[in-house]
Amino acid sequence: MYQNHKYKASKDHRNMQSHMGESTETRANDPSSSSSSSSLCLCFMGSSAADKFSDEPITPIGRFFLQPQMDQIIHCTMGFKNPIDIAAIKSHLKTSLLLSHPRFSSLMVRSPRGLKQWHRTSHVDLNRHIIVVPNTITTASNFDHEAAVNAYLADLSTSSDLSADKPLWEFHLLMAHNCGVFRIHHALGDGASLMSLFSASFRGAEEEEKLPALGSAGKKRNRVNGEKGWWVLLIGFVGMVWFSLIFVVEFALRSLWVCDRKTEISGGDGVELWPRKLATARFKLQDMKLVKKAVPNATINDVLVGVVSAGLSRYLDHRTPNGLPEGLRITGIAMANLREQPRLQELTDLMKSNSGSSWGNKFSTFLLPIYYKKSSGTEPLEYLRRAKVIMDRKKQSLEALFSYKIGCFLMTYLGAKIATWLLYRTVCNTSFAISNILGPQEEIAVGGNPVTYLRVNTSSLPHVFADSYMQALTMHMVSYVERADMQISVAKDIIPDPEFLAKCFEEALLDMKEAAHCETND
């Protein structure tokens, strides 16, 4: 998942993390690539030799996110402690590292040869990027700020694109709700890249000289050495081959025709165009850390998977009492960060093209199975134990690396259309998507205004293929200081009560915390 899952199977295998996306260069003259997202490209016919900045080609995964089927916009919501000062925010952005970053000051253009490129501009007009929303989102007299902001985000998820005649980002300021929403096209980078950029650009007033800290990515386990080392390595290698074979075949079948049994959270035909609804599940990092100590060698991601498994079981019990068989598999799709280091990176390191932690969309996907169990008869920590077994096997396999490499191969040799279709089918044949982004563990500020919370969600995927049944549920968690907020986006005609689903997740963690306390006292 986008945080601290680490693959141990091979030298080239990278750390896993889950915001749920990078590859080698796609064929430059790929006809599907050149025609599929013309609405997002400007035609640029001038000579770049006379320009101050030379054009850069868009990476294959960047073009992947510009395909009509996979067009994605990341929404990063920031709550502010004090009333918003628009002038202070503009002044901060003008001198921030964000505007000096090439991707945030470049237009997407098409060269005379029809190739998509980033064309650096000499001036970014902040007035076109900062969108001020002066009034409340709702007309109700007793509105809730969180619900109003989530309603605004839900509307953005299905109704608003980014204009191609300016760099592909915006900052919406919801004055009445004291929060801002960064809208950033996924072609610019993934969640890990953006968190590093935000942390470097929006340091707290007292932390101007150093990079805000992120939580530990987890310590590497000591390698077994001595007389037992060779057979431990042999067993590990055999396990890697075995689990890789199983998971790779399963991933391939899932991208073609295998799908989950229909449940109350399953998507439907064209569901991504249906009205969306957002709710927020709020967790304390201290609670998650306490729970993970109850199971040896467990991680925060294991706890998250256990919470999702317990919460979904509780929710399905509520929606369909005694309607599902015990042990029913519900499959999600999660993200794996392929960078060498899952921690916050210095911006200079991220910008090095030869760095293992380079800027961009350096992530892949893997299948995440969870199993329905009746919540009334299941010990809370059992969900965590099962989640750890599943995640340990995923870490030992090469599934995420395989999906990344095969995506590169398809983009390079068969074109973006086929590569996009296969991933789109995988998404259609799963029941949910989940990501987990490691955020700053020290307070950041924008324009001198401290940020009280960070939340992330993404826009819905466009519906472009016939007979496709898209997911009705996506979850994105990001940690910030001592809290972790998970945005739950649903198709409200299928899951009409996401607030109750969020409560199921919160109560699942509290039950695990209580069980962990009991085990500790025993």
Side-chain angles (χ1 to χ4, degrees), residues 9 43 71 104 114 130 141 156 236 312 340 363 398 403 446 462 506 516:
C43 190
D71 192 35
F104 285 78
I130 296 179
S141 58
L156 287 179
L312 285 179
E340 293 177 353
F363 72 97
L398 299 174
S403 67
V446 182
E506 293 171 351

Side-chain angles (χ1 to χ4, degrees), residues 362-396:
K362 299 284 290 186
F363 72 97
S364 186
T365 58
F366 64 96
L367 297 179
L368 178 63
I370 62 174
Y371 297 89
Y372 166 78
K373 296 181 73 67
K374 295 184 183 299
S375 56
S376 58
T378 304
E379 198 271 322
L381 290 179
E382 183 61 29
Y383 292 104
L384 174 56
R385 296 186 185 99
R386 180 184 287 266
K388 184 182 184 306
V389 171
I390 293 171
M391 294 304 296
D392 283 350
R393 292 173 178 175
K394 293 291 181 178
K395 296 170 193 177
Q396 195 172 1

